[in-house]
Amino acid sequence: MSAREPAPAVAVDQVDTAYLESLIGYNARRAALAMIEVFLPRMAAYDLRPVDFSVLSLVLHNPGITSRQLCSTLGILPPNLVGMVNLLERRELIVRAPHPTDRRAMGLHLTARGRKLMRRAERTASTLEAEVASRLSAAQARTLIRLLQKIYRPA
């Protein structure tokens, strides 16, 4: 058969995913999609996208964090973060304050409204993670997180 001839017609009764399922990236992406499928509708109640949730969670747990630190931690390009921070500021969830040691930087802080929203959103996130990962024991979940972190964190 030449490269131009079509393959003979066959019916695929069962899809062979063995190769894809042997890839870490494929499995990590499928797990992420399973989480996102539940995350998006639950976080819609707070008007938060995954990246908004991540930014606000980091600001909650690291008051005074700078935009540069957020970009580095989350792998976000600075121009993308600027618009997001502006929007979160307009929603009165965060405020900027002068950084105590770097005169060029501004630290980000949650407002009272932002803290209240994130306390509820983080409870929701913890609940949905437990639901989606319910087939894992607590030890398996900790191991999975640790192994995934070995892939994306610097050595």
Side-chain angles (χ1 to χ4, degrees):
M1 177 171 26
S2 76
R4 294 181 182 199
E5 292 179 36
V10 295
V12 175
D13 295 323
Q14 185 156 352
V15 177
D16 178 0
T17 59
Y19 175 73
L20 288 175
E21 289 181 3
S22 74
L23 301 174
I24 294 169
Y26 175 82
N27 286 287
R29 179 71 175 150
R30 291 295 304 263
L33 288 171
M35 289 289 181
I36 291 294
E37 185 178 333
V38 177
F39 186 93
L40 291 176
R42 302 255 184 109
M43 288 299 144
Y46 309 107
D47 194 21
L48 295 177
R49 299 169 302 150
V51 68
D52 301 323
F53 175 86
S54 297
V55 165
L56 290 172
S57 182
L58 286 173
V59 175
L60 173 66
H61 298 284
N62 302 276
I65 192 170
T66 65
S67 293
R68 176 178 289 164
Q69 290 171 310
L70 283 172
C71 288
S72 173
T73 302
L74 296 174
I76 298 174
L77 295 173
N80 296 339
L81 184 66
V82 169
M84 189 182 325
V85 167
N86 289 340
L87 178 62
L88 295 171
E89 197 170 35
R90 280 194 301 275
R91 289 180 60 193
E92 299 179 358
L93 299 175
I94 62 171
V95 293
R96 301 171 212 233
H99 191 276
T101 59
D102 184 348
R103 299 178 79 118
R104 299 165 298 157
M106 297 294 279
L108 300 173
H109 301 267
L110 291 186
T111 62
R113 179 179 177 176
R115 284 189 300 278
K116 181 179 178 184
L117 179 128
M118 281 310 293
R119 280 194 296 274
R120 292 182 6 242
E122 284 190 345
R123 276 195 303 273
T124 300
S126 294
T127 300
L128 76 86
E129 285 246 334
E131 290 170 13
V132 174
S134 65
R135 290 179 282 179
L136 300 177
S137 69
Q140 288 172 324
R142 285 190 303 274
T143 298
L144 177 59
I145 290 169
R146 185 176 45 78
L147 292 173
L148 289 169
Q149 289 171 343
K150 286 182 92 161
I151 293 171
Y152 72 81
R153 283 189 175 162

